[in-house]
Amino acid sequence: MEKTPKNTPKNPRIDPKQIKGWGIDADPKNDPTYPMRKRMNVGEDPDSKHRPDHLQPEDTEVLRSIERPDVSAVFGTPAPPMGLSGLIRRAAFKYSENEYKHWLPLIVADRVGVVEGIVADLSHGKLPNIWAEKGYDMEWKYNRPAFVTKLATIGAVTAGLVVWLSSGKKKQPKPVKKDYLSRF
C-alpha cells in the first residue's frame, strides 16, 4: 500500500487539462462526429433543450417513470406489458425510481413473466428447452466446476424439500373409545 506524505491532502486538486484526452470534444472543429454530420447534411449540433418534432408514435402501452412524464424519443414496443406481470409493472411505475416499491415489483414481474412465457409455450404445444435456454452446454464446456456445484446444490435442496414435505406427521388412527357399559 502506498503511503501519502503527511502534508498532502487525501484528494489533491487535479487540473483537468493535465488528464490525457480531457476536453477532446470541446473544440467544435475537432469534433469526431464531423464526417457523419457532413454525410447527413447536418450543420449544427441538435438542440438538446427542445424535443424533436417527429417522435416515434405511441401505438402500444409504454410505461413511464413518474419523474419523466414524456416518453423517450425512441422506445421498444415488441413486448408491451400484459398479463399478471403487466399488472405488477403498472403498479411499480406508480412509485418513484428511488424507492424499493418501484424496483422490487419489477424484479418480481420479470420472474412472473418467465413463468407466463413457459405457460404460454406449453399452451401452444411447445415444450421449452430449459437446458438450452439456461445455457447449460456452454456452462458445462467453460465453467464445469461451478456448474457441477450448482447442479449438486439444486439436487440437494430438491431432495431435502422432498424428504421434508413427504415426512409430515402421519395421522395416527384415532383410538376407539371402548364403552364397556353399553353392552349391558
Side-chain angles (χ1 to χ4, degrees), residues 56-68:
Q56 180 180 355
E58 286 184 68
D59 50 359
T60 60
E61 181 182 3
V62 179
L63 297 174
R64 323 173 176 190
S65 169
I66 59 173
E67 282 92 8
R68 290 169 301 220

Side-chain angles (χ1 to χ4, degrees), residues 54-123:
H54 305 289
L55 293 175
Q56 180 180 355
E58 286 184 68
D59 50 359
T60 60
E61 181 182 3
V62 179
L63 297 174
R64 323 173 176 190
S65 169
I66 59 173
E67 282 92 8
R68 290 169 301 220
D70 294 327
V71 294
S72 58
V74 179
F75 50 85
T77 58
M82 54 193 271
L84 180 61
S85 63
L87 287 174
I88 296 171
R89 289 179 205 283
R90 286 184 199 105
F93 272 87
K94 291 179 183 174
Y95 297 100
S96 172
E97 290 180 357
N98 64 352
E99 294 185 43
Y100 286 122
K101 294 175 191 173
H102 179 82
W103 295 108
L104 293 179
L106 289 178
I107 293 170
V108 171
D110 285 345
R111 302 301 168 250
V112 169
V114 168
V115 173
E116 286 176 339
I118 291 172
V119 170
D121 283 349
L122 292 174
S123 69

Side-chain angles (χ1 to χ4, degrees), residues 138-150:
M138 292 300 112
E139 201 164 355
W140 176 258
K141 187 175 181 180
Y142 295 109
N143 195 11
R144 191 171 296 183
F147 180 65
V148 170
T149 303
K150 181 193 298 183

